[in-house]
Amino acid sequence: MKLSLRILAVGLALLAFDSWTVRPADSDYHLLETYMFGAAPGSSTEYFDYITVDSAARRVYLSRGTAVEVMDADTGSAVGYIPGFKRQHGVALAPEFGRGFISDGTMAQVTIFDLKTLKTLGQAKADPDTDCVVYDPVSKRVFSMNGDSHSSTVIDAKTGTVIKTIDLIGSPEFAVADGKGTIYANLANKNQIAAINTRTLEVKSRWPTAPSGGSTALAMDREHRRLFSAGRNPQVLVVMDADSGKVLQSFPISAGTDAAAYDADTKLIFVSTREGKIHIFHEDSPDQYTAVATIQTQFGAKTMGLDGKTHRLFLDTADFGALPAITADRPNPQPAAILGSFRVLVYGRQ
């Protein structure tokens, strides 16, 4: 009997070990679809930013500068537009209220819309350079990350009322909610992650992201409390303990990262960059990670959204003009995207 129990225990341990160490064919990710779109309504230049995937509703929200374009996640067909913006950046979804929230950095506001009809319901005043926007289901509040203003505007998701503006003492980029009452925000100019208590609306911790710098993209393994923060200078992805701020591991990445995603089913971490690459890493265990593949995409495809249902990745980019001349005012110029050449790239396995 004791021998049988010992054998059973060993078998269970091996199964647990395998669940962490056996990886899917990570390098099997490849381009599945390309969907072409015309210029966004009211746009004189081609601009695109964050991608938000609603896996349950099968919608993809594409930030197009002057409008949010809504795409069917399965067919790539256009569902509709939400127009009326000057420099629109991100979309947050609060399905329990049937509402979505759209940030506009130039207009310094967050627009509230109906998830079913896509009709605008109202606006909430934010601060200049309103960029990323994230919904916290614990406090039922929406947090906009206002980059140049070094602040976060907090909005009641049900009423659309601004509750508070939090001074972050740093320039926030992307942010994630842990589902337990904390929002983590990359502070790009401080090379830090700020942890915000969504109930008290105070910053409770600040942790350095070194050896990563210019912290931009951010994703999270909520179950095992791990943050994945990718920076532009130095170009590094760091894995951080979400409770202590300890950096557990780091990996080099290519230039111009702007998005990261974590797939809880496959335990894969994805980082996309402007250089035209998706870096794929695997969570072997909560304390051990492996770089497993780098997928070549297209130049400019730095933003990305993960479909948790199909495990597919949505990226967007466009054609670009010639590289401008280097000047004193623009030591690192970037080529401009060509109007009307916008497209969505879908990567996954067959």
Side-chain angles (χ1 to χ4, degrees), residues 186-316:
N186 270 333
L187 302 182
N189 67 330
K190 297 291 186 179
N191 302 333
Q192 293 178 345
I193 288 180
I196 305 168
N197 187 313
T198 63
R199 298 180 180 90
T200 65
L201 304 182
E202 301 292 337
V203 176
K204 60 181 183 178
S205 302
R206 296 176 187 275
W207 299 314
T209 57
S212 178
S215 312
T216 308
L218 188 63
M220 185 176 188
D221 172 0
R222 293 176 176 84
E223 180 183 0
H224 301 103
R225 310 289 298 162
R226 296 293 183 260
L227 295 167
F228 310 106
S229 175
R232 297 177 179 176
N233 186 25
Q235 297 164 193
V236 174
L237 168 74
V238 296
V239 181
M240 179 183 288
D241 185 300
D243 296 312
S244 68
K246 179 182 178 181
V247 173
L248 304 173
Q249 217 168 333
S250 63
F251 300 91
I253 56 174
S254 52
T257 182
D258 208 38
Y262 173 72
D263 190 325
D265 291 335
T266 64
K267 298 183 177 66
L268 293 178
I269 303 106
F270 304 92
V271 179
S272 57
T273 70
R274 182 182 178 86
E275 193 173 304
K277 290 181 171 62
I278 303 171
H279 300 275
I280 306 179
F281 308 88
H282 184 264
E283 187 179 50
D284 303 329
S285 77
D287 295 324
Q288 184 64 45
Y289 298 80
T290 304
V292 293
T294 299
I295 309 299
Q296 185 68 49
T297 60
Q298 296 177 22
F299 178 79
K302 63 188 178 71
T303 56
M304 173 180 61
L306 169 68
D307 183 353
K309 181 179 178 180
T310 65
H311 310 291
R312 292 182 174 183
L313 301 168
F314 294 85
L315 298 90
D316 53 13

Side-chain angles (χ1 to χ4, degrees), residues 274 299 319-325 330 333-338:
R274 182 182 178 86
F299 178 79
D319 294 331
F320 290 84
L323 183 69
R330 298 183 67 188
Q334 296 293 336
I338 297 172

Side-chain angles (χ1 to χ4, degrees), residues 1-15:
M1 186 67 175
K2 289 183 179 179
L3 180 60
S4 298
L5 289 173
R6 194 174 296 120
I7 292 171
L8 177 62
V10 171
L12 290 173
L14 287 173
L15 284 173

